[in-house]
Amino acid sequence: MSEQNSVAFVATESIPPSPPPANQTGVVKWLRENLFSNWQSSLLTLVSLYLIYVILSTFLPWVLNGVWTTSSLTECREVLEGRFGACFSVLTERWNQLLFGFNYPSDQYWRPTLAFVFMLIAIAPVLFFDLPRKMLAFTVAYPFVAFWLIWGGTIMAPIVAFLGCAAAAFVFGAYGKNNFALGFIGAIVAAFAVWIIGTMLIPDGANEGAWLEHVPSRDLGGFMLNMMLGVTCVSLSIPLGIALALGRQSNMPLIKGMCVIFIEFVRGVPLITLLFVASVMLSYFFPPDANVDLFVRVVIMMTLFSAAYVAEVIRGGLAALPKGQYEAADSLGLDYPQAMRLIILPQALKISIPGIVNVAVGLFKDTTLVSVISLFDLVGMIRGPILGGSAEWNGVYWELWGFAALLFFVVCYGISQYSQWLERRLATDHH
Amino acid sequence: AGTLDDVKARDKLQCGVNTGLVGFASPDANGEWQGFDVAVCRAIAAAVLGDSSKVEFISTTGKTRFTALASGEIDVLARNTTWTFSRDVDLKFEFTGVNYYDGQGFMVPKDLGVSSAKELDGATVCIQTGTTTELNLADFFRANNISYEPVPIETDSEAQQQYLAGACDTYTTDASGLAATRATFDDPGAHVVLPEIVSKEPLGPLVRHGDAEWGDIVRWTLNALIAAEELGVTSANVAELSSGTGNPEINRLLGTEGTLGEMLGLDAEWAKRAIMVSGNYGEIFAKNIGVDTPVGLARGLNAQWTEGGLLYAPPFR
Amino acid sequence: MSELAIEREIDRSKMQVSDEVAIQISGMNKWYGSFHVLRDINLTVNRGERIVIAGPSGSGKSTLIRCLNALEEHQQGQIIVDGTELTSDLKNIDKIRSEVGMCFQHFNLFPHLTILENCTLAPIWVRKVPKKEAEERAMHFLEKVKIPDQAHKYPGMLSGGQQQRVAIARSLCMMPRIMLFDEPTSALDPEMIKEVLDTMIELAEEGMTMLCVTHEMGFARQVANRVIFMADGQIVEQNEPEEFFNNPQSERTQQFLSQILGH
Amino acid sequence: MSELAIEREIDRSKMQVSDEVAIQISGMNKWYGSFHVLRDINLTVNRGERIVIAGPSGSGKSTLIRCLNALEEHQQGQIIVDGTELTSDLKNIDKIRSEVGMCFQHFNLFPHLTILENCTLAPIWVRKVPKKEAEERAMHFLEKVKIPDQAHKYPGMLSGGQQQRVAIARSLCMMPRIMLFDEPTSALDPEMIKEVLDTMIELAEEGMTMLCVTHEMGFARQVANRVIFMADGQIVEQNEPEEFFNNPQSERTQQFLSQILGH
Amino acid sequence: MSTLTDPPKDNFRLSMLFNDTRYRSLTFQAIAAILVALSIFYLGSNLLTNLEEAGLNISFAFFQNPAGYDINQRLVEYSSQSSHGRAALVGALNTLLVAFLACITATIFGVVAGVLRLSKNWLISKLMAVYVEIFRNIPVLIWIIIIFTIMTAVMPAPRAFRGDDATASMLLDMFAFTNRGVYIPMPYFEHGLFASAQGNWLLVIAGLIGSFFGARAINRWAAAKQEATGERPKTLLPLLAVWFVPLIVLMFVLGLAWELPALKGFNFKGGIKVGGPLIALWFALSIYTGAFIAENVRAGIQAVSKGQTEAAAALGLRPSRVMNLVVLPQALRVIIPPLISHYLNITKNSSLAIVVGYADITATLGGITLNQTGRAIECVLLLMAFYLTVSLVTSLVMNFYNASVKLKER
Ligand SMILES: Nc1ncnc2c1ncn2[C@@H]1O[C@H](COP(=O)(O)OP(=O)(O)OP(=O)(O)O)[C@@H](O)[C@H]1O
Ligand SMILES: Nc1ncnc2c1ncn2[C@@H]1O[C@H](COP(=O)(O)OP(=O)(O)OP(=O)(O)O)[C@@H](O)[C@H]1O
Ligand SMILES: [Mg+2]
Ligand SMILES: [Mg+2]
């Protein structure tokens, strides 16, 4: 072993940390690194600055000069006196129509508003796991409350509906623990029994003179309609989606095949064709005197549509679970429904929430398509009665479309930020 | 069961209308449906149910209207729908008469300098789709051996926007619709409707085939409105006239004589109620689309036969 | 693999083997598709026996264990567990599963439930034990595996060894008469292996019938009363541990032992 | 961590250190933002030296190694590798990178290419070696690391130890004169660690200049000719291995060694 | 299976339908099948009674009847005398056309935005983030309408080109950008070798195909050379030559000339017209979907770990090579599957063409034809069948691709 140089070295003192050299800090460095690191980057920076300038310089004066208080476009133009500015007065004047459609009784606007506020409360414990679980009680009651608030009419209807569900839950609680199939079928029978008896008990003209005036569903419109379709269809599609996903995972070829066909079929056609089915075809498939109204038909089709997408998301969640979880459940003697309900689904659903939220955002945006089949949602209101059917506001495209875009942006961006937050949180969660 | 029984049981008439065409059917700022077609629906409701507000208006597009009617979602379709052979025969509907004799026309900006549709060779044409417009247009240009570029647009609002921005040279739909649209323009005077009417567009309410009883009610309600104008019965004097007049036809119409109402399965005063709602045909016309309204349509073909028009209600006897 | 010294005195006196038959496998065959995994397995396990199954990877050890619990179907032959024949009848399967507990290599705890909930879940839903009683029982077994203080944590917060012990406790809560272990320590670090083996030894001392796939030869030597060597889906050799290790008969066994101990 | 016994005779006679300077670092400082990671580093490495860098986590070992390869920029001081100064000049960086091979903790093989393609990629595209020659060379080094038969598999199909050896072979295919190792064995299982260390020892025996961040003290003792101890971004102590382990001078070093060996 | 050789010892009992794993799944499937069959039967019988009551029938005979309407955008011969079937074909081709164009541009937008979003330039990456968020979070229907409205409002009408005080003018006297569409010069041949224009074009296409093979040969030669010597010869000049020399010669021989668009009557005549509705729909679909693709591209590139780039850099590979040889091949595996589903979304979203008056299949078959014939059920069924075929074919191709690029693991 021949090491020529003696290598022994011991540091005599420890060197304290010193600040980095001046050209490594401060605004200048930030600018140099982030905006002007080389000539391509500098060029891009300048181009984008110019672009931003152009956009802002046209957009800002338009907004700032905006007129908010006139009652028609001509009046607005007079006020503007040739200046470049927006006629936001269409928004103030048609505010209620944009939000609630033109048919909802104007003295009842508080009802959907209240339902909306309640929705925020009801949905909170679902979205944020940290909130007290007791709030879920309100979530359970919410659909019935909201139904009554929005449609009004006799309070018996939501009560009967609620009782039916409660009976189902009770029967399932009593028998489902021992025998899932028995509990499940029993629950359905109980629910229908209560509903049928309840419907018979409600007198014919109960909607007349009810505490809350009855509003038929074709009178719903505006942004409220988008919200309602979005919320209703997404919530209805989750159980259906779960069933489809389980069916697709099942090892019974027939059931699997039917689920696959359904899912692939729905995902293969545009939503608008399904809406055509709802508007021009579906009534042929109901019994001659059923007369299911368009809102319900649209809800059916949209639910089926989003169920297929939800099913695919949940299938991903199911596949992400290790096989060991299924085996452990089996080896403990849990049967299939128990294993699903207690072990598999709670985990799979949690993984799937961000995906489901994405489907929800997509579906919410797609609710605007109902304007094509003559429902007056926000887009339908603008395209139909406001732009096309009124002499006062013919030609205020930018303000109206800008408003619609903004409204959707705020909601969808909010939801997608939530889903990103959730994804981060699920990634760090240790249980 | 017959449609009449359904309507009575429901205590509400379901009436299919346009999604928004000023003057014919459009919701106003308060959300109340207004217009010429709407008035017909209200008259029917008044005749059948005794209350003109017992109507549910169901807006339909060109695509959905026939299904809505065929599947029973609506009882009567009072939307600018042209009476054609195939609709009547092949699609199994029954047109109950004509409430407006229309024809497809063209609107052009005045400064385009066009005075006849035959000068439109090579023009870009905005069409509001959803009725027979595309077919008439194709036929007209083919017959005159000139070419055009169609731009089919779903809603009136988009078609207007295209037309006003100059993306189309001309806008075509039923002349009544053109007038209604022009009425909403900033400067209606800058646009003209060309004299050519390229098609016959008898518009009228229709019902399902095979329910003759209901068809009769709709048909004769419409006829009652027309006859009332001919007979000089107006919303102002109908109450007074219904106590009995010297004119037996008026008496039969208003139910003071004969049992016409009973034959229809209604009561005697059905026509009186229908007329009370918003007056006779002439009054309805004047109020919604007449020359004094923004739509500004002259009676033209839609005048009574006695005035040189085509309106001719069969006798009430 | 490592021959871990088991430090404490092991009390073999309690590990009595009775005459009663706990598991009887005769002429059992199993195929995966056309691949013959288990070939003519014949095995009788008496109550109280502690059997270690060894063999090279892919020899079918796990498959054998899993057949006993109906996690896999066998296609030929007979398996009788505790007097109940394993057929495709769900009733029998349920019965057998509630008699037989199973521990996996990767624990397979339910990560969304606390330790206590993991342990009470099956008693409550399968055995219909009242919740309170189930919890008491769970605490009892958690104490036995020495982690009662973790009861309200989630599995993700525990170390591997602790998780495996919870898994054992979870099986025990179903009061099984037979326990199956499939390489319960092979995913663990050396310190943790000891904790888990200790727990298993304690179980053995209490007279539990155990079938254990493991490569812990120390455990096999000191606790097992029979070692079964499998290769290519067959039982090649079985013997008492001392004999098995010191005096292997078949060539396959010798080769295997030389590999596994020579390292 | 574990002091792994290296069983074979190590032939230190071939591990000659020449007088030629391979790497010269003087007054080098580096900041991440305002965090001072490397403080006044001065280090001269002669051709043929085998240097092990040790130190607590976060002390800047990886950063130092990565600076030598221009994977990180330094902000002050001078780094001269093989006579070329490391500046922001791309030419110099290219030159240095083709002289210096690097192995990462997580191998970083390219998963979409076969083992052979992994090894020939850089020679073909950087050194412009004809494909055939590059493949021959790759096979030569794969034989050296004892996995020529895996050449047409994909990295995902190999064990960790095999993958790390491929990573070494991949670096060698560029014929570097200096090799940098950043904890090459810390992601591996014990058996695999041995395979990789063996390969590294062989390299050392052939006279390769090596800088190695590792906690394998067995390796350090028997192969390195210098151990450098870093703490808080500084070189706190350096010495010959025997001296370093038996007679650490500074307090930090003593503390670190007691922790790491006392285990 | 061997269960057959080893029959159940106990006799069949009814309870075994539920308790025996062998029969249980059969039982459930039978129940499910019966339920589905019942509901299909129920819906079907409703349909039949409803149709009968309305006196209608299901028949596709109307397909042969003349359609009677005109279509402005068509890829195959069509006039108002053609049949409804042909109108549907025109629509189907239009759907495929706009979907194809939008897929290309959406990919370009998406890749550019996705890569720029990872740029070190703070402003650019933030701008791209804004683009992505704004477009992703507003319904595509609103975007289509807004973009169509902007196009008609901002671009000059042909009228504006007319007269002395024209407010708009053509670009280079060759291109006209109007709110009815964009007019570009159309090439034609003055002394073609064939009498028909098609023949001459076929000749040009044949030339291009020849160039393509030539270029491939050059690349192969370069690759072979690189394999042999290590150096890759410069191929830019030969490539340019092989692409352009034959083309230029051919153009010269055939006498290439351009037909320029010119304002005649109401519209520009001559040249090639790309219609306004097509442009609006195309642009709206591409920029909307581009935002989604940008996210995929970003995710795909980020999915390639930093270690890969570092390892490649440490081997001395230049950044552009690192991108081409290491990052992209790996990122593409992550990017392509969702990319395909975005392509499908484009195809499906193109059904919103009706709001801009573009004659896709939803507008012809599901729109005017349905209107004119009133054959709702037939039209909607055919419409769904069309989209279903497109998406099934695409996913089939997709599955093959996925199987072929799956990373090999043990
Ligand atoms: N689900 C399956 N489908 C097909 N073959 C399988 C399946 N599970 C296991 N095998 C095969 O059956 C054989 C036995 O597997 P088994 O898991 O029982 O081996 P083992 O002895 O437990 O091995 P190890 O020690 O690696 O756990 C192996 O060759 C394996 O590849
Ligand atoms: N990209 C970075 N940005 C900011 N700080 C960093 C970055 N990379 C490393 N650091 C910090 O620099 C310090 C030194 O890191 P380095 O990776 O060199 O440590 P190390 O000695 O290799 O530690 P280990 O043994 O854990 O690998 C650490 O405190 C680390 O947090
Ligand atoms: Mg195993
Ligand atoms: Mg490090």
Side-chain angles (χ1 to χ4, degrees), chain D residues 71-86:
Chain D
L71 285 180
E72 303 281 353
E73 277 181 290
H74 59 288
Q75 277 106 22
Q76 265 178 7
Q78 215 183 14
I79 302 181
I80 300 180
V81 178
D82 236 359
T84 313
E85 185 180 348
L86 229 175

Side-chain angles (χ1 to χ4, degrees), chain B residues 17 87 129 132 134 188 225 242 246:
Chain B
V17 291
R87 283 172 181 172
T129 69
T132 48
E134 292 99 340
L225 297 178
S242 60

Side-chain angles (χ1 to χ4, degrees), chain D residues 174-194:
Chain D
M174 288 293 284
M175 307 285 200
R177 305 179 65 179
I178 301 168
M179 285 287 294
L180 309 177
F181 294 88
D182 190 359
E183 310 203 19
T185 57
S186 68
L188 300 179
D189 294 344
E191 310 103 273
M192 300 175 177
I193 294 182
K194 209 172 135 289

Side-chain angles (χ1 to χ4, degrees), chain B residues 258-314:
Chain B
T259 54
L260 295 186
E262 210 171 296
M263 295 177 202
L264 269 181
L266 303 174
D267 59 8
E269 297 203 315
W270 64 281
K272 175 186 156 196
R273 285 196 305 272
I275 296 165
M276 291 248 277
V277 179
S278 38
N280 61 32
Y281 182 90
E283 286 174 274
I284 294 174
F285 192 103
K287 182 165 153 238
N288 291 298
I289 51 178
V291 278
D292 295 330
T293 64
V295 182
L297 290 171
R299 284 296 287 267
L301 291 178
N302 294 298
Q304 291 287 339
W305 63 286
T306 46
E307 323 241 321
L310 295 176
L311 288 186
Y312 185 99

